[in-house]
Amino acid sequence: MKDLGAFTPTELEVTIDVSQIITIHYIKYSRDFAFTGERHDFWEMVYVDKGETGALAEAQGFNLKEGEAIFHKPGEYHNIWAQNKYANVAILTFVCESPAVAFFENKLIAFNETEKELLARILSTAKRSFDGPLDEIHQKEIRFVEAPPFACRQVLKNYVELLLISLIQNRADTARQNRASDSAKRQGENTIVESVRQILSENLYNDISLNDIMEKVCFSKSYLTRLYRVYTGESIMEDYINMKISEAQRLISERVLSFSEIADRLNFG
C-alpha cells in the first residue's frame, strides 16, 4: 500500500456497475415490422429515436413515442412492433446486478438532451469498435474490429453507466403502468397469436407439441392457451389439426398423391 503521508484517501463507491454489455443495436423498422418476442436473463433498454412503436411487457402494452425508452428487466417477456409507420430504435442489452438498477423496473422514461448525447456516444463508439453493422437484429455476440479504438470496452462501460446514473438522478419515480395502453396490449397479444399460427403453419408436415410452442414464444401453457382461444375461438391444437385437414384437402384436390401418402406426409395416424 502506498504511503500517502498526511493525505487521507477517499474510497470511490460504485453505485451502478455494468459488468457486461450483451448487444448494442440501431435498427430502422419498416411500417409492418413485428418482432415475435423473447425473454432473457439480462436487462434490455429500447429507445425510440424516430417515429413510434408499440411494446408488450409480460401482459401489458405500451405506446413508445419518439425520445422515450422502455426497460425490460431480466426474465420479462417482451416484444416490439412498428405502429404502421417507420421507426428508428436503439436497443441496448446489458448485465448489471447493482441494487440501484431495480429503479428501471416498470419504467418508461423520456430522455433529456444530456441522455440523448450519452446514447449517441454509445452508438458512435460501438459503430467504430464493432465488426459489422448495428442493425443485425439476430446477432448474439459482439464482434470487435481487428484493431479497436483504445480502451473502447471501458469507454462503452463508462458511457452506459453514466446514462443509467443520469436517468436515475433526473427522474421522479414514475411507474410505467401510467402509460399503459389497451390498444397496444391488444396488438401485442395479436402478435403473439399470429406468431403461434406461423409456427403451426410451418410445421404442417411435422408434429409439434404445445410444449414445443411454449418454448418458442416464452409463455406459460395456461396464458398461451387462454389467449389463443380468446383471439381465435379454438384451442391451439384444434387449430393445428384444422390446418392439417385444410392442407390435406388441398393435396387431395391436386390428385397427385394417394390418401395414404397424404396422411404420411402430414403425419396423420
Side-chain angles (χ1 to χ4, degrees):
M1 185 173 180
K2 287 187 176 181
D3 182 5
L4 301 178
F7 295 94
T8 301
T10 299
E11 294 292 335
L12 298 178
E13 179 185 3
V14 178
T15 305
I16 294 288
D17 179 20
V18 175
S19 58
Q20 295 174 310
I21 293 175
I22 310 299
T23 58
I24 298 175
H25 294 300
Y26 188 86
I27 302 170
K28 298 180 180 180
Y29 291 148
S30 61
R31 296 165 61 95
D32 59 350
F33 173 83
F35 186 56
T36 55
E38 63 182 358
R39 70 171 82 234
H40 41 62
D41 294 330
F42 43 84
W43 283 90
E44 179 168 326
M45 182 198 80
V46 179
Y47 173 82
V48 180
D49 188 34
K50 294 181 181 179
E52 185 175 332
T53 70
L56 192 73
E58 292 298 352
Q60 279 198 299
F62 303 90
N63 291 319
L64 272 70
K65 298 179 181 179
E66 189 170 305
E68 292 182 334
I70 191 170
F71 283 81
H72 301 296
K73 62 186 176 183
E76 179 177 86
Y77 173 85
H78 54 279
N79 69 2
I80 187 171
W81 59 91
Q83 298 278 58
N84 296 318
K85 59 182 71 175
Y86 296 98
N88 294 358
V89 176
I91 300 175
L92 171 65
T93 60
F94 59 93
V95 175
C96 180
E97 298 180 356
S98 304
V101 81
F103 170 86
F104 295 103
E105 293 183 13
N106 304 320
K107 289 295 189 301
L108 190 156
I109 301 175
F111 278 31
N112 62 29
E113 292 305 314
T114 298
E115 290 144 7
K116 291 177 183 178
E117 175 60 26
L118 283 168
L119 180 57
R121 293 189 179 193
I122 291 169
L123 295 171
S124 176
T125 303
K127 188 174 182 179
R128 291 183 290 111
S129 305
F130 296 172
D131 184 10
L134 299 184
D135 60 355
E136 295 182 19
I137 191 170
H138 296 296
Q139 188 180 55
K140 302 297 183 183
E141 179 183 4
I142 291 175
R143 302 185 301 270
F144 286 89
V145 296
E146 188 172 337
F150 174 74
C152 64
R153 298 183 190 223
Q154 183 174 347
V155 169
L156 284 171
K157 171 182 169 66
N158 290 347
Y159 279 152
V160 172
E161 290 172 347
L162 284 171
L163 174 60
L164 298 178
I165 290 169
S166 178
L167 290 170
I168 295 174
Q169 283 182 335
N170 297 303
R171 295 300 173 298
D173 190 11
T174 304
R176 178 170 71 192
Q177 284 80 355
N178 292 338
R179 284 287 309 282
S181 163
D182 289 337
S183 63
K185 178 177 183 290
R186 287 192 298 271
Q187 189 166 349
E189 290 174 341
N190 186 65
T191 301
I192 295 169
V193 171
E194 287 303 313
S195 67
V196 172
R197 297 205 84 223
Q198 181 66 29
I199 293 168
L200 298 180
S201 179
E202 291 171 353
N203 285 275
L204 290 180
Y205 290 84
N206 303 308
D207 271 331
I208 191 168
S209 70
L210 193 54
N211 288 334
D212 295 330
I213 296 167
M214 286 166 47
E215 290 181 5
K216 291 178 181 291
V217 296
C218 310
F219 272 113
S220 69
K221 185 182 295 185
S222 60
Y223 175 79
L224 199 58
T225 52
R226 180 186 63 79
L227 186 68
Y228 201 86
R229 187 174 288 278
V230 167
Y231 278 81
T232 68
E234 296 181 304
S235 74
I236 294 173
M237 302 315 292
E238 285 172 347
D239 200 15
Y240 186 40
I241 292 172
N242 288 336
M243 286 183 180
K244 281 180 175 278
I245 291 172
S246 295
E247 180 66 4
Q249 291 172 335
R250 185 188 70 80
L251 294 173
I252 290 169
S253 70
E254 293 179 349
R255 300 190 177 189
V256 174
L257 302 172
S258 69
F259 284 8
S260 60
E261 288 173 327
I262 292 172
D264 286 341
R265 289 199 177 192
L266 291 170
N267 280 290
F268 277 122

